[in-house]
Amino acid sequence: MRWVLVGASTIAGEWMVEAIRAVGDEVVAVVSGDPQRARAFAAQHGIAHALGDEKDYPALGVDAVYISNTNDKHEASTLFAAANGCHVLCEKPLATSLASAVRMVQACRAAGVVMGTNHHLRHNGPHRVMREQLRAGALGQLVAARMQHSVYLPAHLQGWRLDKPTAGGGVVLDIAVHNADSLAFLLGEYPVAVCAMVSNSGMATGLEDNAMSVWRFASGVTASSHQGFSTPYADTGLELHGTQGSLHGSGMMSQQPSGDLVLVNAQGRLVLPVPRGNLYVACLEHMHRAIRGEPHEMADGRAGIQSLAVALAVLESAHSAREVRVADVDALLAG
Ligand code: NDP
């Protein structure tokens, strides 16, 4: 497939150009709002076309668009890609409002193109082994989950995420969506209600850079979710606790294929082997399957709306100091 990158972003440069090439596809062009940065990005990554306006890429004959500009721009770029018959892989959070995200998914459906959300963590080895263990009944009845996803935002990314609410900044939109997708992949459900508190440690300005919330699922499971930008020494992790056993995953909420997994039960502690592989390459492989109409485990556009709905509920709960129900995405899509 021939791809265009919309957004001369860090993630495109650090991960996605290589991942697209690794699945045998071609990166034909990069689009940036700053033509000079587009040229620099294209030169650095060996991309033939550097464009200052996305309106110029349809003439190049592209099949798919990877959208990684700031979150406020995802909608317009997705609508344009769909209108031009291109498949879309859009970064998370899909948008800064549910109405935008719904329009994006509806536009892709109407155009008959595949839409994916770049939730890479579901392709990490520990996540996948956790899901196998859960499905095999290793934990008995699942009671609770805990997610530790508080990191240190690297210096080169300390920009719009910390001071631009209009661009979709803040740690909740940035990371809570990943937590929601990770748990949905494992449990097969999204939370129905959340209670949250957010804080500012001084790294962000006018936005939260730390957040904790508790999520309630229809099945009765509860989960805790911690995400932050300013904790360089915190480990990430995901734990599942059931009546017959617990799974302790550590270091598994990362861009790298990473993490260790331990099953703890009445027999003791067992370190489980986990497969390793580039998570973004796996995203693209599953997107290829989706395009071919084969069974796949790509986070689709709907999954992107769902994870955004959870993050927005977390923010609303924190700002209103009350429990908030997560929006019914099926109803939004139907309406
Ligand atoms: P960046 O800040 O690197 O890029 C975002 C936009 O900022 C770019 O599209 C670019 O605009 C502009 N920009 C980039 N570098 C500069 C610069 N030096 N000076 C001025 N403007 C600049 O963002 P990220 O790569 O961190 O994130 C992009 C998207 O990807 C977000 O939606 C984010 O949430 C998501 N993301 C997803 C991850 C995942 O694992 N799924 C991981 C990291 C990010 P222009 O295009 O106009 O040049």
Side-chain angles (χ1 to χ4, degrees):
M1 289 204 304
R2 287 164 61 79
W3 288 79
V4 60
L5 312 178
V6 174
S9 68
T10 306
I11 179 157
E14 288 183 351
W15 291 97
M16 297 308 293
V17 171
E18 189 185 321
I20 289 169
R21 289 173 176 159
V23 298
D25 289 351
E26 188 184 347
V27 182
V28 176
V30 59
V31 182
S32 167
D34 177 344
Q36 199 179 332
R37 200 168 48 253
R39 282 194 293 277
F41 190 99
Q44 184 183 354
H45 297 284
I47 299 167
H49 299 276
L51 307 177
D53 190 326
E54 56 194 332
K55 302 217 164 23
D56 293 333
Y57 74 68
L60 299 174
V62 297
D63 307 297
V65 179
Y66 168 62
I67 296 168
S68 67
N69 42 18
T70 50
N71 305 326
D72 53 325
K73 295 179 178 162
H74 293 173
E75 180 187 359
S77 296
T78 298
L79 299 191
F80 183 75
N84 284 283
C86 296
H87 302 298
V88 172
L89 178 60
C90 186
E91 269 307 339
K92 45 50 66 175
L94 279 192
T96 55
S97 76
L98 284 178
S100 279
V102 167
R103 284 192 291 269
M104 292 159 72
V105 171
Q106 285 172 337
C108 288
R109 285 182 179 175
V113 297
V114 164
M115 180 177 173
T117 307
N118 204 15
H119 279 311
H120 63 298
L121 285 170
R122 57 166 66 199
H123 301 294
N124 199 12
H127 285 67
R128 303 189 80 83
V129 176
M130 269 187 156
R131 190 167 77 153
E132 286 161 18
Q133 291 284 324
L134 195 59
R135 288 182 171 181
L139 303 189
Q141 181 194 334
L142 186 65
V143 177
R146 301 177 191 154
M147 289 173 289
Q148 293 87 249
H149 202 161
S150 185
V151 296
Y152 185 73
L153 187 66
H156 67 283
L157 293 182
Q158 292 182 21
W160 57 270
R161 279 181 178 80
L162 300 178
D163 62 7
K164 275 225 177 80
T166 51
V171 76
V172 172
L173 282 181
D174 199 49
I175 299 184
V177 289
H178 280 312
N179 290 354
D181 189 70
S182 291
L183 268 197
F185 181 71
L186 296 173
L187 275 53
E189 59 178 340
Y190 290 89
V192 292
V194 305
C195 274
M197 289 189 188
V198 299
S199 61
N200 180 312
S201 70
M203 181 186 263
T205 307
L207 280 166
E208 82 289 345
D209 58 24
N210 180 71
M212 288 190 175
S213 51
V214 179
W215 303 356
R216 181 158 47 80
F217 290 78
S219 61
V221 169
T222 56
S224 63
S225 171
H226 176 205
Q227 47 278 309
F229 279 153
S230 56
T231 55
Y233 306 106
D235 195 6
T236 67
L238 202 166
E239 300 167 11
L240 297 179
H241 300 286
T243 53
Q244 304 296 318
S246 287
L247 282 165
H248 294 252
S250 60
M252 59 190 279
M253 309 296 259
S254 162
Q255 293 185 281
Q256 309 282 345
S258 61
D260 300 308
L261 193 56
V262 179
L263 173 65
V264 184
N265 58 22
Q267 282 72 51
R269 297 173 66 85
L270 179 65
V271 176
L272 301 176
V274 291
R276 305 284 181 207
N278 185 302
L279 314 188
Y280 300 102
V281 171
C283 285
L284 290 161
E285 287 170 346
H286 282 274
M287 185 162 178
H288 272 262
R289 283 177 207 154
I291 290 169
R292 292 196 298 265
E294 296 171 5
H296 66 85
E297 290 173 342
M298 174 187 74
D300 59 11
R302 189 184 183 289
I305 307 179
Q306 285 274 10
S307 62
L308 177 62
V310 175
L312 290 172
V314 165
L315 284 173
E316 187 183 338
S317 171
H319 294 141
S320 64
R322 61 180 177 79
E323 179 176 315
V324 169
R325 289 197 67 78
V326 176
D328 179 341
V329 169
D330 286 329
L332 289 174
L333 278 168

